[in-house]
Amino acid sequence: MSDESRPSPTRQAPDTRANTPTAVVIPAAGRGVRLGPGAPKALRALGGTPMLIHAVRAMAASRGVSLVVVVAPPDGADEVKSLLDAHALPERTDFLVVPGGSTRQESVRLGLDALPPEYGIVLVHDAARPLVPVDTVDAVIDAVREGAPAVVPAVPLADTVKQVEPAGTPGEPEPVVATPERARLRAVQTPQGFDRATLVRAHGTVTDDVTDDASMVEQLGLEVVVVPGHEEAFKVTRPLDLVLAEAVLARRRLNDGF
Ligand code: CTP
Ligand code: MG
């Protein structure tokens, strides 16, 4: 079938999607180099519980999610399976564990390969965003169910952003090339939500290095929409992010106590 005659995946009738089963792929196979030496990032503790378990619970908290596929560090699939067995998770959600690859993109693709056929909607969520609120997850699922082939949660930027000509040597001054209008920029988070066939096609077609899944769908020329993200969906990347994550957890415990 030529591209012209392919049925447009730009919009699907909302009522055909309302009951489509939804799965989440959680890439968790990274080392966490920027966090410093230690266990793989997803297995490090936050409030005494591995970051990955927080992320899995955050996804399973959504009533729309019926399967979570965890993409484990290549040598850590058994450890991840034991972790999932050892922690209380909702009964309505199934879990699968597959070993990951050497890039995030490869890890996501390995997760997609493991999906049973009935899941027509797929979310991709970084294990490194353990504290995303369930409302954000639901907002992404709702937008895909309403017909968008690709949905990303995002927040406005606090800092002005400069585009530069990167210096050859770290620390050297870098010439500024442009200053994009801040009001039109968004910082993108996960979970990102997709029509499954669209995401599979993107992963089968786009070979460039990308840092998120939606940009692969953009490269196919398809519509990607943004829904409101949340400040607590930040990515744990550097040591200071762990301090922030512990503080968010402490605030939640305090609020739950009253
Ligand atoms: N990830 C993955 N497989 C890889 C690399 C990354 O599944 N080969 C996952 C990470 O586990 C993380 C998510 O992709 O949940 C986002 O990546 P990032 O925050 O960059 O995590 P790391 O790659 O682990 O961190 P760093 O880049 O600092 O090493
Ligand atoms: Mg990385």
Side-chain angles (χ1 to χ4, degrees):
M1 193 164 26
S2 78
D3 271 338
E4 289 74 23
S5 59
R6 199 190 293 277
S8 166
T10 316
R11 286 264 151 203
Q12 296 205 5
D15 54 346
T16 63
R17 307 243 68 179
N19 299 315
T20 307
T22 299
V24 184
V25 172
I26 301 188
R31 292 293 323 171
V33 171
R34 287 169 290 178
L35 204 52
K41 180 161 72 177
L43 304 183
R44 298 203 207 182
L46 261 190
T49 303
M51 204 178 308
L52 171 65
I53 297 295
H54 288 281
V56 169
R57 284 182 175 151
M59 295 301 108
S62 169
R63 307 195 76 76
V65 171
S66 40
L67 172 69
V68 174
V69 179
V70 176
V71 187
D75 53 358
D78 288 339
E79 188 182 346
V80 166
K81 276 185 201 134
S82 319
L83 273 180
L84 291 175
D85 287 339
H87 289 83
L89 298 164
E91 279 193 5
R92 63 168 179 268
T93 316
D94 287 334
F95 302 93
L96 275 178
V97 179
V98 298
S102 58
T103 64
R104 182 185 183 282
Q105 222 165 330
E106 196 185 340
S107 294
V108 172
R109 192 181 49 72
L110 290 165
L112 289 176
D113 288 348
L115 281 183
E118 65 267 28
Y119 294 93
I121 295 176
V122 184
L123 270 50
V124 180
H125 181 63
D126 294 328
R129 298 181 191 269
L131 302 178
V132 58
V134 69
D135 288 354
T136 307
V137 184
D138 288 340
V140 170
I141 295 174
D142 286 348
V144 181
R145 284 185 172 164
E146 281 161 21
V151 179
V152 299
V155 291
L157 299 189
D159 295 323
T160 295
V161 171
K162 302 279 185 201
Q163 185 183 344
V164 300
E165 193 53 57
T169 322
E172 283 293 301
E174 300 174 313
V176 170
V177 174
T179 305
E181 186 190 343
R182 192 176 67 191
R184 295 173 70 91
L185 297 177
R186 300 287 180 268
V188 165
Q189 305 175 324
T190 72
Q192 301 188 350
F194 303 91
D195 162 60
R196 177 196 183 152
T198 301
L199 184 61
V200 168
R201 182 149 77 92
H203 272 268
T205 314
V206 177
T207 50
D208 301 358
D209 268 348
V210 293
T211 51
D212 79 338
D213 299 278
S215 56
M216 306 174 84
V217 174
E218 288 165 52
Q219 287 193 42
L220 295 183
L222 301 177
E223 181 189 38
V224 177
V225 296
V226 166
V227 296
H230 196 284
E231 60 180 359
E232 293 181 2
F234 67 93
K235 185 153 71 77
V236 175
T237 306
R238 299 179 190 86
L240 192 59
D241 300 321
L242 280 177
V243 178
L244 181 60
E246 293 287 358
V248 170
L249 278 179
R251 183 173 70 180
R252 285 185 187 175
R253 278 195 209 106
L254 206 63
N255 289 342
D256 289 350
F258 289 97

